[in-house]
């Protein structure tokens, strides 16, 4: 619903009921991805699209039927695919399949959906999770999740709510829209429920300072985990897109100057990870002195323990407070015995993930802590 959130928010603000049809699953050569939506209000006004034209007319009729049914109305899940008898009947001519959930929304009766649309329209970082497959009585139930705030809405059970909110926050932290499956009792077993989480957030950023072999491996690993990776170094001969094909951006600039510019432009936040791999106090001390004063999610620096001790002394001399120094992850990464650039990148990204989730980074074998920790 993200692409039509502004229209739907206006309808909600005016108290106008509407029906929304959302693509919740795709397979094959489908024209739209999960989250694409078509909505119809009581006047017959339509916004959005679920297929680019193939099944819009039939979905429009389903939305009108949902509106006519009034409240409470049970959502309808409809699958559209290729028709062997007539490819131009109601179905997709591209050969794929889409599942579409059609749901009536009365703003007064569904405050969590109204709140989600308001958040989306205001471009707030947030995610809406809805049950899109499972027992008919649960279809369409929803949670609104924001970073560091209690969720709104409910799925019918506190344990289920907590599990769904945790999974949704993981997708939101990565800036991703997608589906996940959990048990109806809130565990990862039992009768399955499929939820669609629509995230309104840009991917988190990873700033890698130092054009090294480890930086290339880290750009690859960070991109795989959903980060938008920038590699920055002041040396143009080493800082080229060809050396870092997995980075979204390759920037030739002094690290501290680049970090200052990005912070001033408001492009850094609490999800941002900064990894300093320069091994050179002329570059790493200035950028770390700035990074440790910003509200970033992770700040790490590569080097030996001797290098760390020297760097810490230099940072203190530069006026970095003790509390800020305590945030520095140095030597960078978890103790995995890494030697190659790829192993080192795995060590660093593992530590970033542990910091983001609040996990210990310890082996699960023999531990009594939850495998999938739930946020408070």
């Amino acid at each position: 619903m993200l692409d039509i959130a502004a229209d739907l928010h206006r309808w909600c603000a005016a108290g106008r009921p509407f029906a929304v049809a959302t693509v919740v699953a795709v397979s094959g050569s489908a024209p739209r991805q999960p989250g694409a939506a078509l909505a119809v209000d009581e006047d017959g006004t339509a916004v959005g699209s679920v297929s680019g034209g193939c099944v819009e007319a039939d979905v429009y009729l389903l939305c009108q039927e949902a509106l006519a049914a009034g409240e409470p109305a049970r959502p309808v899940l409809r699958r559209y695919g290729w028709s062997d008898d007539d490819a131009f009947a109601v179905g997709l001519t591209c050969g794929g399949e889409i599942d579409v959930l059609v749901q009536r929304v009365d703003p007064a009766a569904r405050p969590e959906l109204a709140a989600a649309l308001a958040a989306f329209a205001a471009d707030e970082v947030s995610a809406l999770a809805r049950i899109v497959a499972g027992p008919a009585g649960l279809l369409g139930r929803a949670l609104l999740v924001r970073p560091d705030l209690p969720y709104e809405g409910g799925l019918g059970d506190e344990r289920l709510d907590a599990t769904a909110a945790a999974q949704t926050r993981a997708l939101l932290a990565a800036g991703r829209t997608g589906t996940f499956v959990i048990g109806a009792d809130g565990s990862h077993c039992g009768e399955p429920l499929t939820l669609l989480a629509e995230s309104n957030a840009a991917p988190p950023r990873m700033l890698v300072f130092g054009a090294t072999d480890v930086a290339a491996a880290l750009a690859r690993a960070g991109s795989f985990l959903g980060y938008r990776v920038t590699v920055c170094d002041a040396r143009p001969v080493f800082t080229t897109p060809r050396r870092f094909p997995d980075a979204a951006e390759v920037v030739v600039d002094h690290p501290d100057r680049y970090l200052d510019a990005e912070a001033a432009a408001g492009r850094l936040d609490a999800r941002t990870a900064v990894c300093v791999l320069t091994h050179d106090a002329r570059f790493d001390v200035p950028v770390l002195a700035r990074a440790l004063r910003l509200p970033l999610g992770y700040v790490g620096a590569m080097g030996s323990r001797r290098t760390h001790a020297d760097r810490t002394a230099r940072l203190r001399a530069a006026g970095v407070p003790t509390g800020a120094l305590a945030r520095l992850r140095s030597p960078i990464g978890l103790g995995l015995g890494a030697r190659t650039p790829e192993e080192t990148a795995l060590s660093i990204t593992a530590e970033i993930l542990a910091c983001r989730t609040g996990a210990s980074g310890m082996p699960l074998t023999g531990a009594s802590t939850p495998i999938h920790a739930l946020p408070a």
Side-chain angles (χ1 to χ4, degrees):
M1 292 192 292
L2 287 173
D3 51 349
I4 57 174
D7 292 298
L8 301 189
H9 173 52
R10 284 194 293 271
W11 291 355
C12 282
R16 295 163 61 182
F18 58 89
V20 61
T22 308
V23 176
V24 297
V26 303
S27 63
S29 182
R32 303 293 303 275
Q33 293 303 303
L38 168 73
V40 180
D41 74 354
E42 289 187 318
D43 296 332
T45 302
V47 294
S49 170
V50 294
S51 71
C54 300
V55 300
E56 307 298 316
D58 193 66
V59 173
Y60 181 86
L61 291 176
L62 288 175
C63 288
Q64 288 190 312
E65 290 173 7
L67 281 167
E71 284 284 357
R74 181 165 290 182
V76 174
L77 186 63
R78 180 68 58 87
R79 174 166 293 176
Y80 296 96
W82 176 269
S83 170
D84 290 331
D85 296 327
D86 182 358
F88 292 95
V90 177
L92 302 178
T93 59
C94 55
E97 282 187 343
I98 60 173
D99 288 349
V100 177
L101 182 71
V102 180
Q103 181 176 10
R104 177 188 166 94
V105 177
D106 188 323
R110 301 302 302 271
E112 74 282 358
L113 290 179
L117 293 170
F120 291 169
D123 205 25
E124 294 179 17
V125 176
S126 55
L128 178 69
R130 287 184 289 162
I131 297 176
V132 297
L138 296 180
L139 282 181
R141 294 194 182 186
L143 287 174
L144 171 61
V145 174
R146 294 183 175 95
D148 305 321
L149 289 175
Y151 57 80
E152 298 178 39
L155 307 178
D157 178 86
E158 287 187 5
R159 186 180 179 191
L160 175 59
D161 290 349
T163 302
Q167 296 277 46
T168 302
R169 280 197 174 93
L171 286 169
L172 179 59
R176 292 178 177 174
T177 288
T179 57
F180 58 89
V181 178
I182 56 178
D185 61 354
S187 70
H188 290 269
C189 306
E191 185 178 7
L193 295 175
T194 301
L195 288 89
L196 171 68
E198 298 176 76
S199 294
N200 185 42
R205 297 192 65 189
M206 179 182 292
L207 308 184
V208 181
F209 295 112
T212 66
D213 288 345
V214 172
L218 185 55
R220 190 156 55 249
S223 297
F224 176 75
L225 291 177
Y227 283 86
R228 179 179 176 84
V229 181
T230 299
V231 175
C232 175
D233 194 298
R235 302 168 297 174
V237 67
F238 297 114
T239 315
T240 65
R242 183 174 181 179
R243 290 193 70 213
F244 302 100
D246 297 291
E249 299 168 308
V250 179
V251 177
V252 179
D253 200 350
H254 285 266
D256 58 315
R257 187 164 59 197
Y258 177 76
L259 186 69
D260 282 344
E262 293 301 288
R267 290 190 283 264
L268 308 179
D269 59 28
R271 302 177 301 150
T272 302
V274 167
C275 304
V276 178
L277 313 179
T278 52
H279 292 287
D280 189 333
R282 292 175 302 167
F283 294 104
D284 61 15
V285 169
V287 72
L288 286 170
R290 287 161 171 77
L292 290 170
R293 291 184 170 94
L294 295 172
L296 307 177
Y298 176 91
V299 180
M302 179 169 282
S304 67
R305 298 193 186 281
R306 179 179 295 178
T307 298
H308 170 67
D310 176 72
R311 184 164 48 214
T312 300
R314 291 173 182 268
L315 288 168
R316 283 201 181 96
V320 178
T322 300
L325 276 173
R327 296 177 49 229
L328 177 60
R329 298 283 175 162
S330 174
I332 197 170
L334 297 184
L336 305 182
R339 292 187 178 275
T340 67
E342 289 74 20
E343 291 171 349
T344 303
L346 175 61
S347 165
I348 296 170
T349 52
E351 185 176 49
I352 291 172
L353 178 59
C355 288
R356 191 175 79 190
T357 61
S360 66
M362 298 297 291
L364 294 173
T365 303
S368 58
T369 54
I371 295 174
H372 304 285
L374 300 180

